[in-house]
């Protein structure tokens, strides 16, 4: 064998280590235990690997990545299977592991979803849900105005644990209350009607259950603010003209109904 032919058909330990992403020490160990003995030696005695050696090493590397012990790998390689048989065996084993890993990924995703759902909603989450109905400016103003009240403290205590899913439910409930008010108004029923007063009670219960204790007297104070504060008024007027005053009057009527 000429030097040129040897260079083309054999590889040094360092070249093989780089090619297969293993350490030289690993290759020496495989040689020592007889798992992969280089077929050739250079004139100076250095190990040289042939094509057949590389094929065997490829099989060893795949089995090791499947976490198979070296003694079991040695037994398999002594079994007389050719390269195609080994590749079929390795493919079948890898496919089994893939199924296991897919199940593991699915389990992790489910756990992650549960963990994320248990996280309190962020400011970005609230802005996404409520749009212009939630701003840092409004929140700061509310804290400045009512931060020392028991209602504010109770509301903060409850809502600080609310997740995005909780806030989605809160919004759905609030939308349902507003829809009830609009339906009563559009039907032509007066604010003192059962439909309007029932919507008012639904409104009170929503705040009472989700934010802070709200009796009917306190509810009247909120109702008056809906007309006195232009921003609250606009929120209702954007839903239906005249709705702000209608909501106020329905809340007053509902409070009177519960005092009778």
């Amino acid at each position: 064998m000429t030097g040129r032919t040897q260079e083309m058909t054999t590889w040094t330990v360092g070249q093989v280590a780089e090619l297969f992403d293993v350490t030289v020490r690993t290759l020496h160990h495989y040689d020592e235990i007889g798992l992969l003995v280089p077929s050739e030696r250079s004139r100076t005695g250095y190990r040289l690997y042939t094509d057949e050696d590389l094929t065997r090493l490829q099989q060893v590397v795949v089995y090791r990545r499947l976490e198979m012990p070296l003694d079991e790998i040695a037994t398999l390689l002594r079994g007389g299977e050719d390269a195609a048989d080994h590749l079929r065996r390795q493919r079948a084993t890898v496919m089994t592991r893939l199924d296991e890993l897919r199940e593991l990924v699915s389990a992790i995703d489910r756990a992650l979803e549960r963990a994320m759902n248990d996280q309190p909603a962020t400011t970005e989450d609230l802005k996404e849900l409520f749009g212009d109905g939630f701003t840092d400016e409004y929140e700061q103003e509310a804290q400045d105005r009512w931060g020392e009240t028991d209602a504010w403290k109770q509301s903060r205590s409850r809502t600080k644990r609310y997740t995005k899913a909780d806030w989605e439910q809160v919004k759905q409930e609030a939308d349902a209350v507003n829809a009830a008010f609009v339906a009563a108004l559009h039907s032509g029923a007066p604010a003192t009607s059962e439909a309007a007063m029932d919507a008012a009670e639904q409104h009170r219960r929503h705040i009472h259950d989700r934010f802070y204790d709200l009796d009917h007297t306190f509810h009247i104070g909120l109702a008056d603010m809906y007309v006195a504060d232009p921003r609250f008024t606009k929120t209702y007027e954007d839903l239906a003209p005249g709705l702000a005053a209608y909501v106020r009057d329905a809340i007053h009527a509902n409070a009177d109904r519960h005092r009778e």
Side-chain angles (χ1 to χ4, degrees):
M1 179 181 295
T2 66
R4 178 177 177 79
T5 303
Q6 186 182 66
E7 182 181 353
M8 293 177 60
T9 58
T10 61
W11 289 264
T12 66
V13 173
Q15 290 172 327
V16 173
E18 183 177 358
L19 181 64
F20 284 86
D21 195 23
V22 297
T23 65
V24 170
R25 182 177 180 180
T26 295
L27 293 174
H28 287 171
H29 180 60
Y30 290 170
D31 186 4
E32 291 170 1
I33 65 176
L35 183 61
L36 178 65
V37 179
S39 298
E40 301 289 340
R41 294 275 176 169
S42 69
R43 294 176 181 175
T44 55
Y46 289 106
R47 298 173 176 84
L48 295 174
Y49 293 83
T50 64
D51 288 340
E52 291 77 10
D53 296 333
L54 297 191
T55 298
R56 183 180 177 91
L57 177 58
Q58 180 185 43
Q59 295 165 358
V60 171
V61 168
V62 173
Y63 283 131
R64 287 298 291 157
R65 288 180 178 174
L66 295 173
E67 300 180 359
M68 186 176 293
L70 291 177
D71 57 345
E72 292 185 20
I73 296 174
T75 300
L76 282 174
L77 295 181
R78 285 197 300 269
E81 293 181 337
D82 60 19
D85 290 333
H86 278 290
L87 289 172
R88 292 189 187 97
R89 179 196 298 275
Q90 290 166 349
R91 186 181 188 282
T93 304
V94 169
M95 292 305 295
T96 300
R97 293 291 302 277
L98 280 176
D99 291 338
E100 295 174 354
L101 290 173
R102 288 192 191 99
E103 293 177 1
L104 179 59
V105 168
S106 296
I108 292 173
D109 286 344
R110 291 193 295 271
L112 179 60
E113 182 177 359
R114 289 194 299 271
M116 293 299 293
N117 286 339
D118 288 339
Q119 296 297 315
T122 64
T123 299
E124 289 70 24
D125 290 333
L126 296 178
K127 288 180 179 178
E128 177 185 342
L129 286 172
F130 295 99
D132 293 338
F134 179 88
T135 67
D136 295 333
E137 178 185 352
Y138 286 175
E139 184 180 29
Q140 184 60 51
E141 179 182 346
Q143 184 170 356
D144 292 341
R145 291 177 65 179
W146 298 298
E148 297 303 318
T149 65
D150 291 339
W152 174 265
K153 294 175 183 177
Q154 187 178 32
S155 178
R156 293 291 289 179
S157 176
R158 290 185 186 180
T159 60
K160 69 180 181 181
R161 297 188 297 270
Y162 283 3
T163 65
K164 185 177 181 180
D166 291 328
W167 281 111
E168 288 174 346
Q169 184 63 36
V170 168
K171 185 176 186 301
Q172 290 175 9
E173 294 169 2
D175 289 344
V177 170
N178 288 335
F181 277 127
V182 171
L185 174 65
H186 285 171
S187 73
T192 54
S193 67
E194 290 292 326
M197 289 190 293
D198 287 348
E201 182 62 17
Q202 184 181 355
H203 179 271
R204 187 189 70 81
R205 288 299 311 182
H206 170 68
I207 296 173
H208 181 84
D209 294 341
R210 288 293 189 175
F211 299 100
Y212 51 84
D213 295 343
L214 181 65
D215 61 22
H216 292 92
T217 300
F218 196 168
H219 200 201
I220 289 175
L222 288 182
D224 292 342
M225 184 179 64
Y226 294 160
V227 176
D229 190 319
R231 291 168 299 182
F232 284 105
T233 302
K234 183 178 186 304
T235 297
Y236 283 110
E237 295 300 303
D238 285 345
L239 295 176
L243 186 61
Y246 188 83
V247 168
R248 178 201 58 193
D249 294 344
I251 290 174
H252 275 260
N254 182 60
D256 291 339
R257 176 175 64 166
H258 281 82
R259 282 197 289 261
E260 294 176 356

